[in-house]
Amino acid sequence: RRKAAYTLIDLGENSVKPIVQVIADAPDTVRYIGAQILGRIGSPSASDMLLSLAHDPNPYVKNEALRAIGKIHRPELVDTLTHFSLHSKTAESRAAAIEGLSSLRDPSTSSTILALMSDPSPLVRKAALAAIGKQWTHLAIQHVIHLVTDTDETVRYIAVQLCGVRGIKEAAQTLHTPLNDPSIHVRTEATKSVKLLQDTTAIPHLITLIKRFDGPDSESALKTLRDLTGNEYIVQ
């Protein structure tokens, strides 16, 4: 099946019509793979089938279709993905629709993505963060800063990373908190973002980190301290 899928993708537009004909009444697995293939091909002629699969009773097929819709780049489908991202009952479908929106790279979707950064589900917040990272807008700054202290570890990790990568100077003080995060991954990423922001006010917090922890986080903190101060630090 994998080899057949790759062959169909390589055929491109020529394989769209046969795929559509096959998956219309096919088993769940075939519909799921079909949605994936149509998304990879990215042909606008697959839009009707993908829209149909977006209402599929099988949640896995439905979510794969939502991701694929964003890859065929039909501007008129923005409203469809926006509706699913805001109103789908399951977090998985809302997150899949956000992935679809992010593939479109359409600035008009930014307001929707920003709104979903406050979704009750961490899965959706994570998808929204990843999406806004791809189509950055300064309007996201306060949303990202807020999520640096989110209850979900993965959300905190992505938010901390975005603060550094996007050079959010306003996040400097907030980034002191994740330097003492329960997660070693969040702490490590926080040291990298502090370095990118060249935040010398974080030096006392970095020193505390290397005294409390021993691992990739403290090693990264030492590198950041060297970069910020030009001095070598020895843990005692």
Side-chain angles (χ1 to χ4, degrees):
R1 288 200 298 267
R2 188 183 303 113
K3 290 181 179 179
Y6 284 130
T7 300
L8 289 168
I9 292 169
D10 290 339
L11 288 171
E13 183 69 39
N14 291 330
S15 65
V16 172
K17 187 175 180 179
I19 293 172
V20 169
Q21 291 175 339
V22 168
I23 66 177
D25 299 308
D28 292 354
T29 303
V30 177
R31 296 200 308 282
Y32 176 84
I33 296 173
Q36 279 187 325
I37 295 172
L38 291 174
R40 290 284 296 275
I41 292 172
S43 171
S45 61
S47 58
D48 288 344
M49 175 51 70
L50 289 174
L51 282 170
S52 175
L53 293 176
H55 294 87
D56 198 276
N58 183 297
Y60 297 101
V61 175
K62 173 181 180 176
N63 295 343
E64 199 58 40
L66 289 170
R67 296 185 187 97
I69 286 173
K71 297 175 183 177
I72 62 176
H73 301 291
R74 292 282 293 268
E76 65 270 25
L77 296 178
V78 168
D79 289 344
T80 299
L81 288 173
T82 298
H83 175 79
F84 276 104
S85 67
L86 293 172
H87 302 296
S88 287
K89 293 182 179 180
T90 67
E92 290 77 10
S93 291
R94 295 198 301 280
I98 294 171
E99 288 184 51
L101 285 174
S102 69
S103 295
L104 290 170
R105 302 291 180 97
D106 186 334
S108 70
T109 66
S110 294
S111 59
T112 298
I113 294 171
L114 291 176
L116 289 162
M117 290 171 73
S118 300
D119 192 273
S121 167
L123 182 66
V124 176
R125 297 197 299 276
K126 179 177 71 173
L129 269 173
I132 209 66
K134 293 179 182 178
Q135 55 183 64
W136 184 251
T137 167
H138 73 280
L139 296 175
I141 288 176
Q142 291 305 320
H143 293 78
V144 173
I145 292 175
H146 176 71
L147 292 178
V148 164
T149 54
D150 193 81
T151 55
D152 182 79
E153 176 183 342
T154 304
V155 172
R156 294 198 305 276
Y157 178 91
I158 299 173
V160 166
Q161 185 179 63
L162 276 177
C163 286
V165 172
R166 291 296 177 179
I168 303 177
K169 296 291 186 182
E170 299 92 331
Q173 293 297 314
T174 305
L175 284 175
H176 296 172
T177 299
L179 288 171
N180 190 41
D181 196 90
S183 165
I184 186 172
H185 305 295
V186 175
R187 293 196 302 272
T188 302
E189 201 60 33
T191 64
K192 296 176 183 177
S193 288
V194 165
K195 179 179 178 179
L196 289 171
L197 294 179
Q198 290 292 291
D199 176 27
T200 55
T201 66
I203 290 174
H205 302 279
L206 290 164
I207 293 173
T208 299
L209 188 157
I210 63 177
K211 289 181 177 179
R212 289 193 61 198
F213 304 103
D214 182 20
D217 52 344
S218 59
E219 292 173 7
S220 183
L222 283 168
K223 292 178 182 177
T224 297
L225 282 168
R226 284 197 296 269
D227 182 77
L228 293 177
T229 67
N231 297 323
E232 290 288 342
Y233 283 77
I234 299 175
V235 182
Q236 296 182 347

